[in-house]
Amino acid sequence: MRKYLQLVFLAVSVFCSEILLAESRDPVRILDLRTLNELDLKEQEKAEQLWDIMHTTATLQGIVNRNSPRLYIRYVKNGQGENVDDYWWNKYRQAGQWLAGRDTIAYTELSDVVTVFRKEIRGVVVYDSKVASTSNIASSVAGIENLIAVRYDISPNSLYTRLVLQGPKLAVKCWLVNKDGSSLFTGKGRIAGTGQPSTGSLKIDPYVWFIEKYLKKGLCNTEYAAYYIDQFWRTDPTRTVTNHHQLTNHDFFVSKKAFFFDLSPWGDEPATDDPTQEEGLDLQILKTFLQEAYKQNKGEKFCYIGGFPSWIY
């Protein structure tokens, strides 16, 4: 029996090694999103376009790059107008470096890249435009379930229309909004699918849903958490530099199956993005996340938290 188990373990190890080797030989797909930097974000439609493309791209990256580098984007500019992604790409490509000699294929359309990696993803998690915190919940679910995050929007040129209603017609595996576009989370009554009473906050109820559905069940990786602004960014996208949406940081945490949050650490005032909530409610839910992570990590492992409070908002 022992010899049999050793043989099974060896076979599985060889199989996994062959998969990783095959992935490492694949061309690196490079998605050029630099044109997004030229959009006039004072126009709501343009701000939504940027948000949607970057969010879906980041969740896709997190999934397909989990084991090896397969998808790279060109997008981020620094204060001097220099492309940061190109800088690091050139570093990686130098002789003897990480990506030296890897073949590449260039793309300019996200939908084309989604088609390339369609077998790598299980489908889509769709979130609610009207409930900002659902975008962070979508990033959390994306990593856990191998889904890409897409905002519900049935307008003709939206990403939802192009990926779900048309084009590849990706299957929706998780709805954070009702199928007719009405809000699943209302801040009233019971929180959908949990039996828990509403907190009275549109922002917080989706977090309670995630805690009950995923966190407490041990489905996410409590060694990693991501503290990034949610789609509340879309309310004032020109308040600071464009990349303050921080979506380009989501991929790493999606790959780790982390939990995402945008919760104020100050308990003596309402959150600036939810001023009508009960004072200290953000902090209360933040503590729930951290206490549950501590419990699951058994006090033996740290929870690495990336990001920071969205102070500019």
Side-chain angles (χ1 to χ4, degrees), residues 194-268:
T194 69
Q196 296 291 320
S198 171
T199 63
S201 166
L202 269 178
K203 174 184 178 180
I204 298 300
D205 280 2
Y207 285 114
V208 174
W209 177 91
F210 178 79
I211 289 168
E212 295 297 321
K213 289 282 191 177
Y214 287 90
L215 185 62
K216 287 185 177 179
K217 293 180 179 180
L219 298 177
C220 68
N221 182 359
T222 50
E223 292 182 44
Y224 290 90
Y227 194 170
Y228 293 115
I229 191 170
D230 56 33
Q231 60 181 320
F232 185 77
W233 173 87
R234 294 191 294 107
T235 64
D236 192 359
T238 62
R239 182 175 293 191
T240 184
V241 294
T242 301
N243 199 41
H244 194 82
H245 54 64
Q246 301 172 57
L247 291 168
T248 48
N249 294 334
H250 280 224
D251 59 328
F252 172 80
F253 294 96
V254 169
S255 77
K256 296 297 184 182
K257 303 184 179 183
F259 59 91
F260 286 72
F261 63 89
D262 179 13
L263 296 165
S264 172
W266 290 282
D268 58 351

Side-chain angles (χ1 to χ4, degrees), residues 141-156:
V141 173
I144 297 167
E145 302 278 11
N146 283 356
L147 307 173
I148 56 173
V150 179
R151 182 180 62 86
Y152 184 93
D153 179 357
I154 59 173
S155 60

Side-chain angles (χ1 to χ4, degrees), residues 156 165 175:
L165 300 182
W175 290 92

